[in-house]
Amino acid sequence: MTDTTFSAGKPGGKPALLDGAGFRAAVVGAFTKLSPRHAFRNPVMAVVWLGTLLTAALTLFGKAAPGQGAAITALLFVTVLFANFAEAVAEARGRGQAASLRRARKDLVARRVTTALNGAAATVVPATELRPDDLVVISAGEIIPADGEIVKGLATINESAVTGESAPVLREAGTDRSGVIGGTKVLSDEIIVRITAEPGHSFLDRMIALVEGANRQKTPNEIALGLLLVTMTLTFLIVVITLPAIAGFVGLNLNPLLLVALLVCLIPTTIGGLLPAIGIAGMNRALSANVLAKSGKAVEVPGDVDVLLLDKTGTITHGDRQATAFHPLAGVDLAQLREAALLASLADPTPEGKSIVALARSPGVALEEPADAHFVAFSAHTRMSGVDLPAQGQGGRVIRKGAMDAIVQHVAALGGLASPELTARVEQVARNGATPLVVADGRHLLGVIELSDVVKHGIKEKFAQLRVMGIKTVMITGDNPLTAAAIAAEAGVDDYIAEARPEDKLARIRQEQAGGRLVAMVGDGTNDAPALAQADVGLAMNSGTQAAKEAGNMVDLDSDPAKLLAVVEVGKQQLITRGALTTFSLANDVSKYFAILPAMFATLPSMAALNVMQLSSPGNAVLAALIFNAIIIPLLIPLALRGVRFRPSGATALLRRNVLIYGVGGVLLPFPAIKLIDMLLAGMFGP
């Protein structure tokens, strides 16, 4: 998905800050946000806005020097505008994205049918009239009218309107990749889709609302920081209000303009002005990684995750396990094992099943699907699949393939026994990091199918980085313990769960949470929904089932299970960015005190020691501090929107880096900046 104001096509790609149209929209938004309804949502900037009105009133009614009053009023007004502009820029970057999403669903129509049978009569209706459970037929070249799940057929689909990726993807009924999104385009074949979303509540509607900021809720960290800023603002407001009474004891009359200027420099205006923009930009950064977060909280929670639960297939390995060899047991002919493996896999729609059929047929085996066969689909509970053949002409065969323990139990129930040779063969395949599937014909064990998968390049280094950050990785796989151990060692995960069932994922998540840890996991199937809902961060695949997408709090538009690692980085970056800018804001306030306080109490000899910057005059000191206070906000907008660069490291190292760069830097930067502004003012207007 690419727009002139926003580019979210490739994970890791950086969006442009703003184009001409976006800049103009942000300027208009900055003035629109001056309305009291919006201004008082941000208490810090509301105080600055009220201070602006107060100084304007004092100037107009002759209670302050006209020149100084006008200058201070203008600087305070510009400070409010810059804060509004920061938020408007973040929103403008999302509006371009929303516009392209709206174009993807404009004027859509649908061919509604009453049954999924071939040849059913279709009625053309507007997409807005579709309701959940309606069936629609979509052919090559047509746009999918609404979110749904394929109930019949398979097709290649162009999802670039949502994901930005031009490469087509395959979606197929009856698999965990059956979900489709309204606004995407069918490129080949014909499918029948069952609608799952109400009008106005589709995936695109949700994305549009999120990128425009309409549904952005404040995160717990943002709320806590907001309370801190309000407390500090109230505290300094009380201090400033009491200053005239205190000054009266030493015979001083404080200028009301200086009091307002002091208050604005005391309160954390920098972070107060940037806080809304940081929150909106966090949502946009998640979307730029092609991850749809259902809330602002979902963006930040990954930054605090302690445990990552990852499926082996597709996340740690490439996920396209292929049958590479048949290993018959003693006394079993290779052709017999090939035939049984082929029969057991004819109705298996998985890539593994299709690869077994391809390998079994490679020597020229021409066996086709037998008549009256009853195929048994794979189940996560039985961990077997196969076929039951009728007695006529086939001898009433019961053929199964699956995990060794499941097949051994199946054979034992029929009166068969496992041999030591089978155990040795399975262990040999597993030690090589491959997955063994055992094949049985009735009560007779025939041999082992070897499925090979490859660990993704660089995954071990990523897990090492997560370990440095204090995050524990746990691999979940249905493989036997030997295969799981081999893959875990090669990938470098901290722990693994072998022969895992859906309930095992849920149990492990609850176990970790009971220990006070935050857990993240990824899933795409209906059986993953309970675990996705239980996890603190549930990343559902866009191609997965509707149940999985509803259960998770984040959806990966690319359907890449390894995206969970990127999600953690996005969350860490959001937390680091807010922490860094807060540190900088509070630190540079300290330096501004040394400009304003000597200016207010210039007649007191004891205050001369605080005039460390030796500014030209009290008036110039006030203006220099306010100018710096105003211009620092727009200068930090790019950092707030793009985020502080994230480097994997521990919490102590991150804190030390933040304090040194943004803490010490925040204290030191205002001194030369304010001094330089003062020199410019003195050169233009005199001391």
Side-chain angles (χ1 to χ4, degrees):
M1 176 164 43
T2 303
D3 190 85
T4 54
T5 59
F6 193 96
S7 175
K10 304 289 188 295
K14 290 185 179 181
L17 182 60
L18 214 61
D19 68 351
F23 179 81
R24 289 190 294 271
V27 171
V28 173
F31 283 92
T32 303
K33 293 176 185 295
L34 291 172
S35 67
R37 182 179 178 183
H38 180 275
F40 285 88
R41 293 178 185 174
N42 188 335
V44 177
M45 300 315 300
V47 170
V48 181
W49 185 213
L50 290 175
T52 306
L53 298 178
L54 178 60
T55 56
L58 291 173
T59 305
L60 289 174
F61 290 104
K63 302 296 184 181
Q68 187 183 47
I72 291 177
T73 300
L75 287 172
L76 295 182
F77 182 68
V78 168
T79 302
V80 177
L81 279 181
F82 281 158
N84 290 344
F85 180 74
E87 184 177 359
V89 166
E91 292 174 349
R93 297 172 84 217
R95 288 196 187 98
Q97 174 78 350
S100 66
L101 292 174
R102 285 194 175 95
R103 288 193 295 269
R105 63 171 191 174
K106 184 179 180 182
D107 300 328
L108 290 181
V109 295
R111 291 188 289 146
R112 186 166 57 191
V113 295
T114 56
T115 176
L117 296 176
N118 289 333
T123 304
V124 178
V125 298
T128 54
E129 293 184 10
L130 295 175
R131 297 293 184 271
D133 295 326
D134 282 351
L135 297 176
V136 295
V137 58
I138 310 158
S139 301
E142 295 179 348
I143 303 296
I144 297 173
D147 296 359
E149 292 191 31
I150 301 175
V151 296
K152 187 172 184 179
L154 76 165
T156 53
I157 297 175
N158 180 1
E159 296 185 343
S160 60
V162 175
T163 68
E165 298 292 343
S166 57
V169 296
L170 181 66
R171 299 288 179 257
E172 184 175 1
T175 69
D176 284 342
R177 305 183 74 84
S178 61
V180 293
I181 300 175
T184 56
K185 186 177 184 179
V186 175
L187 299 179
S188 69
D189 303 289
E190 185 174 89
I191 54 176
I192 295 180
V193 173
R194 186 182 73 251
I195 303 302
T196 57
E198 292 278 0
H201 295 81
S202 69
F203 203 75
L204 286 180
D205 289 314
R206 187 182 302 168
M207 289 180 67
I208 290 169
L210 286 170
V211 298
E212 288 185 328
N215 285 357
R216 194 188 78 84
Q217 296 178 344
K218 291 184 178 181
T219 67
N221 286 329
E222 192 175 351
I223 293 172
L225 179 57
L227 291 175
L228 173 63
L229 299 184
V230 169
T231 302
M232 293 179 65
T233 301
L234 288 175
T235 301
F236 288 127
L237 182 60
I238 294 172
V239 169
V240 170
I241 290 175
T242 57
L243 272 180
I246 297 173
F249 285 107
V250 293
L252 289 179
N253 290 319
L254 296 181
N255 188 333
L257 291 177
L258 294 182
L259 288 175
V260 174
L262 174 64
L263 177 61
V264 171
C265 289
L266 285 174
I267 63 178
T269 51
T270 304
I271 187 60
L274 293 173
L275 192 58
I278 294 171
I280 296 172
M283 301 286 289
N284 286 344
R285 276 198 297 274
L287 193 55
S288 71
N290 271 2
V291 174
L292 175 64
K294 295 183 180 179
S295 67
K297 180 181 179 181
V299 176
E300 283 195 5
V301 171
D304 292 324
V305 159
D306 303 297
V307 181
L308 288 182
L309 267 61
L310 306 107
D311 281 324
K312 184 202 76 171
T313 305
T315 305
I316 296 173
T317 63
H318 283 287
D320 52 351
R321 293 187 301 180
Q322 301 292 308
T324 54
F326 293 108
H327 303 285
L329 299 181
V332 178
D333 186 66
L334 177 60
Q336 184 182 357
L337 175 59
R338 285 182 182 275
E339 180 203 25
L342 177 61
L343 288 170
S345 305
L346 281 174
D348 188 344
T350 64
E352 293 88 348
K354 293 175 181 177
S355 72
I356 293 172
V357 172
L359 181 65
R361 282 178 170 163
S362 57
V365 177
L367 183 65
E368 298 298 333
E369 181 178 327
D372 300 326
H374 172 66
F375 290 97
V376 179
F378 176 81
S379 165
H381 293 280
T382 64
R383 294 187 295 127
M384 293 189 303
S385 63
V387 62
D388 295 336
L389 300 174
Q392 295 81 6
Q394 296 290 345
R397 299 167 68 185
V398 177
I399 303 174
R400 295 290 184 271
K401 75 174 192 299
M404 186 185 79
D405 60 330
I407 295 295
V408 168
Q409 290 180 14
H410 166 75
V411 168
L414 298 176
L417 294 174
S419 65
E421 182 191 2
L422 176 66
T423 303
R425 182 69 72 180
V426 167
E427 289 180 355
Q428 178 186 358
V429 171
R431 284 194 201 97
N432 294 331
T435 301
L437 292 181
V438 178
V439 180
D441 189 345
R443 62 189 184 91
H444 301 291
L445 293 163
L446 302 181
V448 178
I449 306 170
E450 181 175 339
L451 297 176
S452 298
D453 199 357
V454 180
V455 172
K456 290 183 177 180
H457 178 71
I459 198 75
K460 190 169 186 176
E461 289 74 15
K462 289 184 178 180
F463 289 150
Q465 293 175 353
L466 291 172
R467 195 173 297 111
V468 170
M469 292 186 285
I471 299 174
K472 178 181 179 181
T473 53
V474 180
M475 181 184 77
I476 303 174
T477 177
D479 290 335
N480 64 71
L482 280 174
T483 302
I487 297 293
E490 185 179 356
V493 296
D494 299 310
D495 196 4
Y496 64 89
I497 305 174
E499 298 177 344
R501 298 166 297 173
E503 53 267 32
D504 295 329
K505 300 178 185 179
L506 188 60
R508 182 58 181 261
I509 292 173
R510 287 173 174 167
Q511 176 188 340
E512 297 288 353
Q513 289 173 333
R517 291 175 285 274
L518 294 181
V519 182
M521 78 155 288
V522 62
D524 59 2
T526 301
N527 61 353
D528 291 326
L532 287 169
Q534 179 69 34
D536 300 284
V537 178
L539 180 65
M541 299 294 98
N542 175 38
S543 62
T545 62
Q546 188 68 21
K549 288 191 282 188
E550 290 297 328
N553 52 19
M554 306 185 87
V555 179
D556 175 24
L557 303 178
D558 293 327
S559 299
D560 176 10
K563 187 67 68 64
L564 193 56
L565 306 178
V567 167
V568 171
E569 293 188 1
V570 170
K572 290 281 187 186
Q573 187 181 33
Q574 176 74 349
L575 293 173
I576 292 170
T577 300
R578 184 178 291 122
L581 292 179
T582 301
T583 302
F584 180 85
S585 174
L586 298 180
N588 68 37
D589 285 344
V590 175
S591 304
K592 288 180 286 186
Y593 305 159
F594 289 93
I596 295 290
L597 289 177
M600 292 188 64
F601 299 95
T603 58
L604 294 178
S606 58
M607 295 299 294
L610 292 179
N611 191 16
V612 295
M613 287 190 272
Q614 297 297 309
L615 301 179
S616 59
S617 70
N620 286 346
V622 173
L623 293 178
L626 289 180
I627 291 172
F628 174 81
N629 192 64
I631 64 174
I632 199 65
I633 294 177
L635 291 178
L636 290 176
I637 288 177
L639 184 62
L641 298 184
R642 287 179 175 156
V644 175
R645 185 178 177 185
F646 170 70
R647 297 184 180 90
S649 57
T652 303
L654 283 175
L655 178 62
R656 186 186 305 116
R657 177 171 172 266
N658 264 5
V659 170
L660 287 176
I661 296 178
Y662 299 99
V664 176
V667 171
L668 297 179
L669 176 63
F671 284 101
I674 292 175
K675 181 63 176 179
L676 178 61
I677 295 171
D678 175 73
M679 292 170 61
L680 293 174
L681 292 175
M684 290 187 296
F685 306 111

